[in-house]
């Protein structure tokens, strides 16, 4: 066990439940002032700065990296710190080799999913440019022809992480690439697959405490490509639907979106024809005490769902 030597302005790791980054703010009379990432400021005697409690931070952890496989410090704290650094720069995507980590920004980021970006990443390999979900989609698309074998993209994460939106981005990329091989026209099959998303969300997504549009089921999407690169078929299998939500929800949560879209989003004369009333009159959609949510526009959602069937 040795003592760490560090100057003001330097960064170190503080060993807690996991490593926390700390900036050495100042040094006076052998006492260091540390500003820890959890908004805690502590004073430490320089002789107590031992390797069993602290560690020097590698430069890659100070500035952040696009591929965490290149981090000089590899532990839970360095991974979380790197993601945080990039998040505050609006860089929500980070690689770990060929794996993409996405942090939900909960806000639109201008130009991130532009046609220009889609076109750019369709010509690049993973690592040629900034991390992006289009790069992952392009890698899968390219490997179909390179290896001649089926490719799979696995999207996982906790509620609210952005799995549903990530799936949409990959499907949109593959549909656009397919259209390139079809005189710029998206096939009927790819259009149908893309338009199925609002339907699946209506019947399988619900508001939870942590997420206004939480998928309460899993899905497996298969796409079939011709030798020319066109999407010629596909199917969607859903499983593990949270069936008990239809008859009871936790406080501040809601039933599936479709019920509220019908009760609040249908206009006359269809509303009267279907004998639809106020959601508060129906126990299955009101007992949790959350009928209306300002973050969810039910009328436009119901219109989008209606258009998907035509």
């Amino acid at each position: 066990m040795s003592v760490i030597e560090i100057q003001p302005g330097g960064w170190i790791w503080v060993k807690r439940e996991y490593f926390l980054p700390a900036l050495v703010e100042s040094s006076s009379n052998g006492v260091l002032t540390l500003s820890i990432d959890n908004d805690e400021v502590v004073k430490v005697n320089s002789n107590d700065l031992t390797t069993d409690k602290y560690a020097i931070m590698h430069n890659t952890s100070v500035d952040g990296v696009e591929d965490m496989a290149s981090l000089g410090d590899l532990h839970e704290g360095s991974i979380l710190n790197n993601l945080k650094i990039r998040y505050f720069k609006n860089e929500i995507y980070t690689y770990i080799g060929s794996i993409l980590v996405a942090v939900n920004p909960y806000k639109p980021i201008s130009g991130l999913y532009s046609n220009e970006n889609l076109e750019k990443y369709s010509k690049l390999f993973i690592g040629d440019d900034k991390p992006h979900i289009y790069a992952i989609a392009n890698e899968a698309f390219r490997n179909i022809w390179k290896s001649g074998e089926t490719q799979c993209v696995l999207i996982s994460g906790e509620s609210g992480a952005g799995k549903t939106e990530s799936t949409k981005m990959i499907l949109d990329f593959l549909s656009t690439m397919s259209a390139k091989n079809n005189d710029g026209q998206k096939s009927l099959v790819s259009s149908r697959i893309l338009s199925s998303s609002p339907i699946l969300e209506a019947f399988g997504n619900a508001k939870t405490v942590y997420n206004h549009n939480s998928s309460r089921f899993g899905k497996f999407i298969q796409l079939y490509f011709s030798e020319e690169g066109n999407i010629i078929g596909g199917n969607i299998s859903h499983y593990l639907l949270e069936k008990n939500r239809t008859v009871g929800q936790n406080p501040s949560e809601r039933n599936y979106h479709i019920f509220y879209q019908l009760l609040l989003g249908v206009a006359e004369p269809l509303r009267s024809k279907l004998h639809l009333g106020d959601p508060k009159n129906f126990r299955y959609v009101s007992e949790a005490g959350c009928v209306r949510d300002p973050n969810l526009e039910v009328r436009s959602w119901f219109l989008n769902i209606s258009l998907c069937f035509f």
Side-chain angles (χ1 to χ4, degrees):
M1 184 175 62
S2 58
V3 176
I4 294 173
E5 295 184 5
I6 187 75
Q7 298 298 319
W11 287 85
I12 61 173
W13 294 109
V14 179
K15 294 183 180 180
R16 296 287 175 83
E17 182 180 353
Y18 57 87
F19 282 102
L20 289 173
L23 174 65
V24 180
E25 296 280 4
S26 62
S27 175
S28 177
N29 298 322
V31 177
L32 302 176
T33 301
L34 306 181
S35 178
I36 305 178
D37 192 52
N38 61 357
D39 296 327
E40 180 184 356
V41 177
V42 298
K43 293 185 181 296
V44 181
N45 191 298
S46 58
N47 292 326
D48 294 330
L49 212 66
T50 53
T51 53
D52 63 325
K53 300 176 182 177
Y54 303 90
I56 293 291
M57 182 182 290
H58 194 273
N59 290 335
T60 54
S61 294
V62 175
D63 302 323
V65 294
E66 294 182 346
D67 188 345
M68 290 191 287
S70 63
L71 281 173
D73 304 312
L74 192 54
H75 46 68
E76 184 179 358
S78 65
I79 292 174
L80 293 175
N81 182 60
N82 191 75
L83 293 175
K84 182 178 180 179
I85 290 173
R86 293 181 56 75
Y87 176 82
F88 283 114
K89 295 178 181 178
N90 281 336
E91 301 286 353
I92 64 170
Y93 293 120
T94 307
Y95 289 132
I96 306 178
S98 60
I99 299 171
L100 183 72
V101 179
V103 180
N104 192 338
Y106 289 99
K107 64 179 181 180
I109 298 177
S110 177
L112 187 60
Y113 305 109
S114 64
N115 292 331
E116 292 76 15
N117 252 356
L118 191 151
E119 180 67 24
K120 178 179 73 173
Y121 280 96
S122 71
K123 302 174 183 177
L124 301 175
F125 291 95
I126 289 179
D128 287 347
D129 208 303
K130 292 182 178 180
H132 202 290
I133 196 167
Y134 287 159
I136 298 296
N138 185 57
E139 188 77 3
F141 184 76
R142 179 179 288 168
N143 281 342
I144 295 176
W145 323 118
K146 182 180 178 180
S147 66
E149 297 179 349
T150 298
Q151 301 297 307
C152 177
V153 178
L154 175 64
I155 302 175
S156 64
E158 63 181 16
S159 180
K163 299 183 295 297
T164 299
E165 293 302 315
S166 294
T167 301
K168 292 179 185 176
M169 298 304 172
I170 289 180
L171 288 176
D172 185 58
F173 180 91
L174 295 176
S175 178
T176 302
M177 296 301 293
S178 172
K180 281 187 176 183
N181 301 309
N182 192 33
D183 298 325
Q185 299 295 318
K186 290 187 178 181
S187 68
L188 179 60
V189 173
S190 62
S191 297
R192 289 295 189 190
I193 291 173
L194 289 173
S195 65
S196 68
S197 183
I199 300 173
L200 289 173
E201 287 186 32
F203 286 89
N205 288 24
K207 177 191 179 302
T208 66
V209 174
Y210 302 105
N211 185 2
H212 295 289
N213 189 32
S214 176
S215 298
R216 311 312 299 169
F217 68 105
K219 58 178 175 283
F220 179 64
I221 303 173
Q222 287 181 300
L223 299 178
Y224 305 100
F225 292 86
S226 68
E227 293 183 355
E228 292 75 27
N230 300 323
I231 296 177
I232 56 175
N235 63 69
I236 301 176
S237 303
H238 59 82
Y239 53 93
L240 298 177
L241 179 68
E242 188 184 31
K243 297 179 181 178
N244 61 310
R245 181 169 290 271
T246 58
V247 294
Q249 306 87 44
N250 293 323
S252 299
E253 296 193 351
R254 301 206 311 177
N255 210 317
Y256 291 105
H257 291 326
I258 188 62
F259 297 113
Y260 305 94
Q261 291 164 356
L262 280 169
L263 295 171
L264 297 172
V266 176
E268 297 291 355
L270 181 59
R271 183 178 180 82
S272 296
K273 184 177 180 180
L274 296 177
H275 302 285
L276 299 175
D278 193 302
K280 293 181 179 179
N281 298 329
F282 299 91
R283 182 172 65 85
Y284 284 168
V285 296
S286 63
E287 65 176 347
C290 183
V291 173
R292 288 174 170 81
D293 188 330
N295 297 288
L296 302 172
E297 177 49 60
V298 292
R299 189 176 295 275
S300 61
W301 273 23
F302 184 76
L303 178 60
N304 289 337
I305 294 169
S306 300
L307 295 174
C308 290
F309 289 97
F310 298 99

